[in-house]
Amino acid sequence: MTERVPAVQAWLGDSANAMAGLLQELVAIPTENPPGRNLRVCAEVLRAAAEKLGFDAEVVKVDPTRQLEDPAIVRATIGDGPEVVYY
């Protein structure tokens, strides 16, 4: 496992600006909870980010509730192996 550390650190270094940009984009979306506004907007940003990484991603719409005005879930998959990544 420790033999992967240099490769992960190199990837993180190369991706730092993209990760910071995604974080800035997400933080700029007013998703305070309650009332759960703009969660679908946030989900679309996450879906697009997952697709840039090669995932097959979709936004699963959820019916609004009293607690959440705009709920949504992002489901993303990659490959067809037995391991699962939750994103």
Coordinates of all heavy atoms in Angstrom, one line a residue:
M1 N 0.8 -1.2 0.0 CA 0.0 0.0 0.0 C 0.9 1.3 0.0 O 0.6 2.2 -0.7 CB -0.9 0.0 1.2 CG -1.9 1.1 1.2 SD -3.2 0.8 0.0 CE -4.5 1.5 0.8
T2 N 1.9 1.3 0.8 CA 2.7 2.5 0.9 C 3.5 2.8 -0.4 O 3.9 3.9 -0.6 CB 3.7 2.4 2.0 OG1 4.5 1.2 1.8 CG2 3.0 2.3 3.4
E3 N 3.6 1.8 -1.3 CA 4.3 2.0 -2.6 C 3.4 2.9 -3.5 O 4.0 3.5 -4.4 CB 4.6 0.7 -3.3 CG 3.4 -0.1 -3.7 CD 2.8 -1.0 -2.7 OE1 3.3 -1.1 -1.5 OE2 1.9 -1.7 -3.0
R4 N 2.2 3.1 -3.2 CA 1.3 3.9 -4.0 C 1.4 5.4 -3.6 O 0.9 6.3 -4.3 CB -0.2 3.5 -3.9 CG -0.4 2.1 -4.5 CD -1.9 1.8 -4.4 NE -2.1 0.5 -4.9 CZ -3.3 -0.1 -4.8 NH1 -4.3 0.5 -4.3 NH2 -3.5 -1.3 -5.3
V5 N 1.9 5.7 -2.4 CA 1.9 7.0 -1.9 C 2.5 8.0 -2.9 O 2.0 9.1 -3.1 CB 2.6 7.1 -0.5 CG1 2.8 8.5 0.0 CG2 1.7 6.3 0.5
P6 N 3.7 7.8 -3.4 CA 4.3 8.8 -4.3 C 3.4 9.0 -5.6 O 3.3 10.2 -6.0 CB 5.6 8.1 -4.8 CG 6.0 7.2 -3.7 CD 4.7 6.7 -3.2
A7 N 2.8 8.0 -6.1 CA 1.9 8.2 -7.3 C 0.7 9.1 -6.9 O 0.3 9.9 -7.6 CB 1.5 6.9 -7.8
V8 N 0.1 8.8 -5.7 CA -1.0 9.6 -5.3 C -0.6 11.0 -5.0 O -1.3 12.0 -5.4 CB -1.7 9.0 -4.0 CG1 -2.7 9.9 -3.4 CG2 -2.3 7.6 -4.3
Q9 N 0.5 11.2 -4.4 CA 1.0 12.6 -4.1 C 1.3 13.3 -5.4 O 1.0 14.5 -5.6 CB 2.3 12.6 -3.3 CG 2.0 12.2 -1.8 CD 3.3 12.0 -1.0 OE1 4.3 11.7 -1.5 NE2 3.1 12.3 0.3
A10 N 1.8 12.7 -6.4 CA 2.1 13.3 -7.7 C 0.8 13.7 -8.4 O 0.6 14.8 -8.9 CB 2.9 12.4 -8.6
W11 N -0.2 12.8 -8.3 CA -1.5 13.1 -8.9 C -2.2 14.3 -8.2 O -2.7 15.1 -8.8 CB -2.4 11.9 -8.8 CG -3.8 12.1 -9.4 CD1 -4.2 12.0 -10.7 CD2 -5.0 12.5 -8.7 NE1 -5.5 12.4 -10.8 CE2 -6.0 12.7 -9.6 CE3 -5.2 12.8 -7.3 CZ2 -7.3 13.1 -9.3 CZ3 -6.5 13.2 -7.0 CH2 -7.5 13.3 -7.9
L12 N -2.1 14.3 -6.9 CA -2.7 15.4 -6.1 C -2.0 16.7 -6.5 O -2.7 17.7 -6.7 CB -2.6 15.1 -4.6 CG -3.5 14.1 -4.1 CD1 -3.2 13.8 -2.6 CD2 -5.0 14.5 -4.2
G13 N -0.7 16.7 -6.6 CA 0.0 17.9 -7.0 C -0.4 18.4 -8.3 O -0.7 19.6 -8.5
D14 N -0.6 17.5 -9.3 CA -1.0 17.9 -10.7 C -2.5 18.4 -10.7 O -2.9 19.1 -11.6 CB -0.8 16.8 -11.6 CG 0.6 16.4 -11.9 OD1 1.5 17.3 -11.5 OD2 0.9 15.4 -12.4
S15 N -3.3 17.9 -9.8 CA -4.7 18.2 -9.8 C -5.2 19.2 -8.8 O -6.3 19.5 -8.6 CB -5.5 16.9 -9.5 OG -5.1 15.9 -10.4
A16 N -4.2 19.8 -8.0 CA -4.6 20.7 -6.9 C -5.4 21.9 -7.4 O -6.4 22.3 -6.8 CB -3.3 21.2 -6.2
N17 N -5.1 22.5 -8.6 CA -5.8 23.7 -9.0 C -7.2 23.3 -9.4 O -8.2 24.0 -9.2 CB -5.1 24.3 -10.2 CG -3.9 25.1 -9.8 OD1 -3.7 25.5 -8.6 ND2 -2.9 25.2 -10.7
A18 N -7.4 22.1 -10.1 CA -8.7 21.7 -10.5 C -9.6 21.4 -9.2 O -10.8 21.7 -9.2 CB -8.6 20.4 -11.3
M19 N -9.0 20.7 -8.2 CA -9.7 20.4 -7.0 C -10.1 21.7 -6.3 O -11.2 21.9 -5.8 CB -8.9 19.5 -6.1 CG -8.8 18.1 -6.6 SD -8.0 17.0 -5.4 CE -6.3 17.6 -5.4
A20 N -9.2 22.7 -6.2 CA -9.5 24.0 -5.6 C -10.7 24.7 -6.4 O -11.6 25.3 -5.8 CB -8.3 24.9 -5.5
G21 N -10.6 24.6 -7.7 CA -11.7 25.2 -8.5 C -13.0 24.6 -8.2 O -14.1 25.3 -8.1
L22 N -13.1 23.3 -8.1 CA -14.3 22.6 -7.9 C -14.8 22.9 -6.5 O -16.0 23.2 -6.3 CB -14.1 21.1 -8.0 CG -15.3 20.2 -7.6 CD1 -16.5 20.5 -8.4 CD2 -15.0 18.7 -7.7
L23 N -13.9 23.0 -5.5 CA -14.3 23.4 -4.2 C -14.9 24.8 -4.2 O -16.0 25.1 -3.5 CB -13.2 23.3 -3.2 CG -13.4 23.7 -1.8 CD1 -14.5 22.8 -1.2 CD2 -12.2 23.6 -0.9
Q24 N -14.3 25.7 -4.9 CA -14.8 27.1 -4.9 C -16.2 27.1 -5.6 O -17.1 27.9 -5.1 CB -13.9 28.0 -5.7 CG -12.6 28.4 -5.0 CD -11.7 29.2 -5.9 OE1 -11.6 29.0 -7.1 NE2 -10.9 30.1 -5.3
E25 N -16.4 26.3 -6.6 CA -17.7 26.3 -7.3 C -18.8 25.7 -6.4 O -19.9 26.3 -6.3 CB -17.6 25.4 -8.6 CG -18.7 25.5 -9.5 CD -18.5 24.8 -10.8 OE1 -17.4 24.2 -11.0 OE2 -19.5 24.8 -11.6
L26 N -18.4 24.7 -5.6 CA -19.4 24.1 -4.7 C -19.7 25.0 -3.6 O -20.9 25.2 -3.2 CB -18.9 22.8 -4.2 CG -18.8 21.6 -5.2 CD1 -18.0 20.4 -4.6 CD2 -20.2 21.2 -5.7
V27 N -18.7 25.7 -3.0 CA -19.0 26.6 -1.8 C -19.8 27.8 -2.3 O -20.6 28.3 -1.5 CB -17.6 27.0 -1.2 CG1 -17.8 28.1 -0.2 CG2 -16.9 25.8 -0.6
A28 N -19.7 28.2 -3.5 CA -20.5 29.3 -4.0 C -22.0 29.0 -4.2 O -22.8 30.0 -4.3 CB -19.9 29.8 -5.3
I29 N -22.4 27.8 -4.2 CA -23.8 27.4 -4.3 C -24.4 27.4 -2.9 O -24.0 26.7 -2.0 CB -23.9 26.0 -4.9 CG1 -23.2 25.9 -6.3 CG2 -25.4 25.6 -5.1 CD1 -23.1 24.5 -6.8
P30 N -25.4 28.3 -2.7 CA -26.1 28.4 -1.4 C -27.0 27.2 -1.1 O -28.1 27.1 -1.6 CB -26.9 29.7 -1.5 CG -27.2 29.8 -3.0 CD -26.0 29.2 -3.7
T31 N -26.4 26.2 -0.5 CA -27.1 24.9 -0.2 C -27.4 24.7 1.3 O -27.6 23.6 1.7 CB -26.3 23.7 -0.7 OG1 -25.0 23.7 -0.1 CG2 -26.2 23.7 -2.2
E32 N -27.5 25.8 2.0 CA -27.7 25.7 3.5 C -28.9 24.8 3.7 O -29.9 24.7 3.0 CB -27.9 27.0 4.1 CG -29.1 27.8 3.8 CD -29.0 28.6 2.5 OE1 -27.9 28.7 1.9 OE2 -30.0 29.1 2.0
N33 N -28.8 24.0 4.8 CA -29.8 23.1 5.2 C -30.2 23.3 6.7 O -29.3 23.2 7.5 CB -29.3 21.7 5.0 CG -30.4 20.7 5.1 OD1 -31.6 21.0 5.2 ND2 -30.0 19.4 5.0
P34 N -31.4 23.5 7.0 CA -32.5 23.6 6.1 C -32.5 25.0 5.5 O -31.8 25.9 6.0 CB -33.8 23.5 7.0 CG -33.3 23.9 8.4 CD -31.8 23.6 8.4
P35 N -33.1 25.2 4.4 CA -34.2 24.4 3.7 C -33.7 23.5 2.6 O -34.6 23.0 1.9 CB -35.1 25.5 3.2 CG -34.2 26.6 2.9 CD -33.1 26.6 3.9
G36 N -32.5 23.4 2.4 CA -32.0 22.5 1.3 C -32.2 23.1 -0.1 O -32.5 22.4 -1.0
R37 N -32.0 24.3 -0.2 CA -32.1 25.0 -1.6 C -30.9 24.6 -2.4 O -29.8 24.4 -2.0 CB -32.1 26.5 -1.4 CG -33.4 27.0 -0.8 CD -33.5 28.5 -0.9 NE -34.6 28.9 -0.2 CZ -34.6 29.6 1.0 NH1 -33.5 29.8 1.6 NH2 -35.8 29.9 1.6
N38 N -31.1 24.6 -3.7 CA -30.1 24.4 -4.7 C -29.3 23.1 -4.7 O -28.2 23.0 -5.2 CB -29.1 25.6 -4.7 CG -29.8 26.9 -5.0 OD1 -30.5 27.0 -6.0 ND2 -29.6 27.9 -4.2
L39 N -29.9 22.1 -4.0 CA -29.2 20.8 -4.0 C -29.0 20.2 -5.3 O -28.1 19.5 -5.7 CB -29.9 19.9 -3.0 CG -29.9 20.3 -1.5 CD1 -30.6 19.3 -0.7 CD2 -28.5 20.5 -1.0
R40 N -30.0 20.4 -6.2 CA -30.0 19.9 -7.6 C -28.9 20.6 -8.4 O -28.2 20.0 -9.2 CB -31.3 20.1 -8.2 CG -31.5 19.0 -9.3 CD -33.0 19.0 -9.7 NE -33.7 18.4 -8.6 CZ -35.0 18.1 -8.6 NH1 -35.7 18.3 -9.7 NH2 -35.6 17.7 -7.5
V41 N -28.7 21.9 -8.1 CA -27.6 22.7 -8.8 C -26.3 22.1 -8.4 O -25.4 21.8 -9.2 CB -27.7 24.2 -8.4 CG1 -26.5 24.9 -9.0 CG2 -29.0 24.8 -9.0
C42 N -26.1 21.8 -7.1 CA -24.9 21.3 -6.5 C -24.7 19.9 -7.1 O -23.5 19.5 -7.5 CB -25.0 21.2 -5.0 SG -23.5 20.6 -4.2
A43 N -25.7 19.1 -7.2 CA -25.6 17.7 -7.8 C -25.1 17.8 -9.3 O -24.3 17.0 -9.7 CB -26.9 17.0 -7.7
E44 N -25.6 18.8 -10.0 CA -25.2 18.9 -11.4 C -23.7 19.2 -11.5 O -23.0 18.7 -12.4 CB -26.0 20.0 -12.2 CG -27.4 19.5 -12.5 CD -27.5 18.4 -13.5 OE1 -26.5 18.1 -14.2 OE2 -28.6 17.8 -13.6
V45 N -23.2 20.1 -10.6 CA -21.7 20.4 -10.6 C -21.0 19.1 -10.3 O -19.9 18.8 -10.9 CB -21.5 21.5 -9.6 CG1 -20.0 21.7 -9.3 CG2 -22.1 22.8 -10.0
L46 N -21.4 18.3 -9.3 CA -20.7 17.1 -9.0 C -20.8 16.1 -10.1 O -19.8 15.4 -10.4 CB -21.3 16.5 -7.7 CG -21.0 17.3 -6.4 CD1 -21.8 16.7 -5.2 CD2 -19.5 17.3 -6.1
R47 N -21.9 16.0 -10.8 CA -22.1 15.1 -11.9 C -21.1 15.4 -13.0 O -20.4 14.6 -13.5 CB -23.5 15.2 -12.5 CG -23.7 14.2 -13.7 CD -24.8 14.7 -14.6 NE -24.8 16.1 -15.0 CZ -24.0 16.6 -15.9 NH1 -23.2 15.8 -16.6 NH2 -24.1 17.9 -16.2
A48 N -21.0 16.7 -13.3 CA -20.0 17.2 -14.3 C -18.6 16.8 -13.9 O -17.8 16.4 -14.8 CB -20.2 18.7 -14.6
A49 N -18.2 17.0 -12.7 CA -16.9 16.7 -12.2 C -16.6 15.2 -12.3 O -15.5 14.8 -12.7 CB -16.7 17.2 -10.7
A50 N -17.6 14.4 -12.0 CA -17.4 13.0 -12.1 C -17.2 12.5 -13.5 O -16.4 11.7 -13.8 CB -18.6 12.2 -11.5
E51 N -18.0 13.2 -14.4 CA -17.8 12.8 -15.8 C -16.4 13.2 -16.3 O -15.8 12.5 -17.2 CB -18.9 13.5 -16.7 CG -20.2 12.8 -16.5 CD -21.4 13.4 -17.3 OE1 -21.2 14.5 -17.8 OE2 -22.4 12.7 -17.3
K52 N -15.9 14.3 -15.9 CA -14.5 14.7 -16.3 C -13.5 13.7 -15.8 O -12.4 13.5 -16.4 CB -14.2 16.1 -15.7 CG -14.8 17.2 -16.4 CD -14.4 18.5 -15.7 CE -15.1 19.7 -16.4 NZ -14.7 21.0 -15.7
L53 N -13.8 12.9 -14.8 CA -12.9 11.9 -14.3 C -13.1 10.6 -14.9 O -12.5 9.6 -14.6 CB -13.0 11.7 -12.7 CG -12.6 12.9 -11.9 CD1 -13.0 12.7 -10.5 CD2 -11.1 13.1 -12.0
G54 N -14.1 10.5 -15.9 CA -14.3 9.3 -16.6 C -15.5 8.4 -16.1 O -15.7 7.3 -16.5
F55 N -16.2 8.9 -15.1 CA -17.3 8.2 -14.5 C -18.5 8.4 -15.4 O -18.7 9.4 -16.1 CB -17.7 8.7 -13.1 CG -16.8 8.3 -12.0 CD1 -15.6 9.0 -11.8 CD2 -17.1 7.2 -11.2 CE1 -14.7 8.6 -10.8 CE2 -16.2 6.9 -10.2 CZ -15.0 7.5 -10.0
D56 N -19.4 7.4 -15.4 CA -20.7 7.5 -16.0 C -21.6 8.1 -14.8 O -21.8 7.4 -13.8 CB -21.3 6.2 -16.5 CG -20.6 5.7 -17.7 OD1 -20.2 6.5 -18.6 OD2 -20.3 4.5 -17.8
A57 N -22.0 9.3 -14.9 CA -22.7 9.9 -13.8 C -24.1 10.4 -14.2 O -24.3 10.8 -15.3 CB -21.9 11.1 -13.3
E58 N -25.0 10.4 -13.2 CA -26.3 10.9 -13.4 C -26.8 11.6 -12.2 O -26.4 11.2 -11.1 CB -27.3 9.8 -13.9 CG -27.5 8.8 -12.8 CD -28.5 7.7 -13.2 OE1 -29.5 8.0 -13.9 OE2 -28.3 6.5 -12.8
V59 N -27.7 12.5 -12.3 CA -28.4 13.1 -11.2 C -29.7 12.4 -11.1 O -30.5 12.3 -12.0 CB -28.6 14.6 -11.4 CG1 -29.5 15.2 -10.3 CG2 -27.3 15.3 -11.5
V60 N -30.0 11.9 -9.9 CA -31.2 11.2 -9.6 C -32.1 12.2 -8.8 O -31.7 12.7 -7.7 CB -31.0 9.9 -8.7 CG1 -32.3 9.3 -8.4 CG2 -30.0 9.0 -9.4
K61 N -33.2 12.6 -9.4 CA -34.1 13.6 -8.8 C -34.9 12.9 -7.8 O -35.4 11.8 -7.9 CB -34.9 14.2 -9.9 CG -34.1 15.0 -10.9 CD -34.9 15.6 -12.0 CE -33.9 16.4 -12.9 NZ -34.6 17.0 -14.0
V62 N -35.1 13.6 -6.7 CA -35.9 13.2 -5.6 C -37.0 14.2 -5.3 O -36.9 15.4 -5.5 CB -35.0 13.1 -4.3 CG1 -35.8 12.6 -3.1 CG2 -33.8 12.2 -4.5
D63 N -38.2 13.7 -5.0 CA -39.3 14.5 -4.7 C -39.0 15.5 -3.6 O -38.5 15.0 -2.6 CB -40.6 13.7 -4.4 CG -41.2 13.0 -5.7 OD1 -40.9 13.5 -6.8 OD2 -41.8 12.0 -5.5
P64 N -39.4 16.7 -3.7 CA -39.2 17.7 -2.6 C -39.9 17.2 -1.3 O -41.0 16.5 -1.4 CB -39.8 19.0 -3.1 CG -39.8 18.8 -4.6 CD -40.0 17.4 -4.8
T65 N -39.4 17.6 -0.2 CA -40.0 17.3 1.1 C -40.2 18.6 1.9 O -39.7 19.6 1.4 CB -39.1 16.3 1.9 OG1 -37.9 17.0 2.3 CG2 -38.8 15.0 1.2
R66 N -40.8 18.5 3.0 CA -40.9 19.7 3.9 C -39.5 20.2 4.3 O -39.3 21.3 4.5 CB -41.7 19.4 5.1 CG -43.2 19.2 4.8 CD -44.0 19.1 6.0 NE -43.3 18.7 7.2 CZ -43.9 18.5 8.3 NH1 -45.2 18.7 8.5 NH2 -43.2 18.1 9.4
Q67 N -38.6 19.3 4.5 CA -37.2 19.6 4.9 C -36.3 20.1 3.8 O -35.4 20.9 4.0 CB -36.6 18.5 5.7 CG -37.2 18.1 7.0 CD -38.5 17.2 6.8 OE1 -38.6 16.6 5.7 NE2 -39.3 17.1 7.7
L68 N -36.5 19.5 2.6 CA -35.6 19.8 1.5 C -36.4 20.3 0.3 O -37.3 19.6 -0.2 CB -34.8 18.6 1.1 CG -33.9 18.0 2.2 CD1 -33.3 16.6 1.7 CD2 -32.8 18.9 2.6
E69 N -36.1 21.5 -0.2 CA -36.8 22.1 -1.3 C -36.4 21.6 -2.6 O -37.2 21.5 -3.6 CB -36.6 23.6 -1.3 CG -37.2 24.3 0.0 CD -37.0 25.8 -0.1 OE1 -36.4 26.3 -1.0 OE2 -37.4 26.4 0.9
D70 N -35.1 21.2 -2.8 CA -34.6 20.8 -4.1 C -33.7 19.6 -4.0 O -32.5 19.7 -4.4 CB -33.9 22.0 -4.7 CG -33.7 22.0 -6.2 OD1 -34.4 21.2 -6.8 OD2 -32.8 22.7 -6.6
P71 N -34.1 18.5 -3.5 CA -33.2 17.4 -3.3 C -32.8 16.7 -4.6 O -33.5 16.6 -5.5 CB -34.0 16.4 -2.4 CG -35.4 16.7 -2.7 CD -35.5 18.2 -3.1
A72 N -31.6 16.1 -4.6 CA -31.1 15.3 -5.7 C -29.9 14.5 -5.2 O -29.3 14.8 -4.2 CB -30.6 16.2 -6.8
I73 N -29.6 13.4 -5.9 CA -28.5 12.5 -5.5 C -27.7 12.3 -6.8 O -28.2 12.2 -7.9 CB -29.1 11.1 -5.1 CG1 -29.9 11.3 -3.8 CG2 -28.0 10.2 -4.8 CD1 -30.7 10.1 -3.4
V74 N -26.4 12.2 -6.6 CA -25.5 11.9 -7.8 C -25.1 10.4 -7.7 O -24.6 10.0 -6.6 CB -24.3 12.8 -7.8 CG1 -23.4 12.4 -8.9 CG2 -24.6 14.3 -7.8
R75 N -25.3 9.7 -8.8 CA -24.9 8.3 -8.8 C -23.9 8.2 -10.0 O -24.2 8.7 -11.1 CB -26.1 7.4 -9.1 CG -25.7 6.0 -9.2 CD -26.9 5.0 -9.3 NE -27.9 5.5 -10.2 CZ -29.2 5.2 -10.1 NH1 -29.6 4.4 -9.1 NH2 -30.1 5.6 -10.9
A76 N -22.7 7.7 -9.7 CA -21.6 7.6 -10.7 C -21.0 6.3 -10.6 O -20.8 5.7 -9.6 CB -20.6 8.7 -10.4
T77 N -20.7 5.7 -11.8 CA -20.1 4.4 -11.9 C -18.9 4.5 -12.9 O -18.9 5.4 -13.8 CB -21.1 3.3 -12.4 OG1 -21.6 3.7 -13.6 CG2 -22.2 3.2 -11.4
I78 N -18.0 3.5 -12.8 CA -16.9 3.4 -13.7 C -16.6 2.0 -13.8 O -16.5 1.3 -12.8 CB -15.7 4.3 -13.3 CG1 -14.7 4.4 -14.5 CG2 -15.1 3.8 -12.0 CD1 -13.7 5.5 -14.3
G79 N -16.4 1.5 -15.0 CA -16.1 0.1 -15.2 C -17.2 -0.9 -14.8 O -18.3 -0.5 -14.6
D80 N -16.8 -2.2 -14.8 CA -17.8 -3.2 -14.4 C -17.3 -4.2 -13.5 O -17.8 -5.3 -13.4 CB -18.4 -3.8 -15.7 CG -17.3 -4.5 -16.5 OD1 -16.1 -4.5 -16.1 OD2 -17.7 -5.0 -17.6
G81 N -16.3 -3.8 -12.7 CA -15.7 -4.8 -11.8 C -16.5 -4.9 -10.5 O -17.5 -4.3 -10.3
P82 N -16.0 -5.8 -9.6 CA -16.7 -6.1 -8.3 C -16.5 -5.0 -7.3 O -17.3 -4.9 -6.3 CB -16.1 -7.4 -7.9 CG -14.7 -7.3 -8.4 CD -14.8 -6.6 -9.7
E83 N -15.6 -4.1 -7.4 CA -15.4 -3.0 -6.4 C -16.3 -1.9 -6.6 O -16.6 -1.5 -7.8 CB -13.9 -2.6 -6.4 CG -13.0 -3.8 -6.0 CD -11.6 -3.4 -5.7 OE1 -11.4 -2.2 -5.4 OE2 -10.7 -4.2 -5.8
V84 N -16.6 -1.2 -5.6 CA -17.6 -0.1 -5.6 C -16.9 1.2 -5.1 O -16.2 1.1 -4.1 CB -18.9 -0.4 -4.8 CG1 -19.8 0.8 -4.8 CG2 -19.5 -1.6 -5.3
V85 N -17.1 2.3 -5.8 CA -16.7 3.6 -5.3 C -17.9 4.4 -5.1 O -18.8 4.5 -6.0 CB -15.7 4.3 -6.3 CG1 -15.4 5.7 -5.9 CG2 -14.5 3.5 -6.5
Y86 N -18.1 5.0 -3.9 CA -19.2 5.9 -3.7 C -18.8 7.3 -3.8 O -17.8 7.7 -3.2 CB -19.8 5.7 -2.3 CG -20.4 4.3 -2.1 CD1 -19.7 3.2 -1.6 CD2 -21.7 4.1 -2.5 CE1 -20.3 2.0 -1.4 CE2 -22.3 2.9 -2.4 CZ -21.6 1.8 -1.8 OH -22.2 0.6 -1.7
Y87 N -19.5 8.1 -4.6 CA -19.1 9.4 -5.0 C -20.2 10.3 -4.7 O -21.3 10.1 -5.0 CB -18.7 9.5 -6.5 CG -18.2 10.8 -6.9 CD1 -16.9 11.2 -6.6 CD2 -19.0 11.6 -7.7 CE1 -16.4 12.4 -7.1 CE2 -18.5 12.8 -8.2 CZ -17.2 13.2 -7.9 OH -16.8 14.4 -8.3

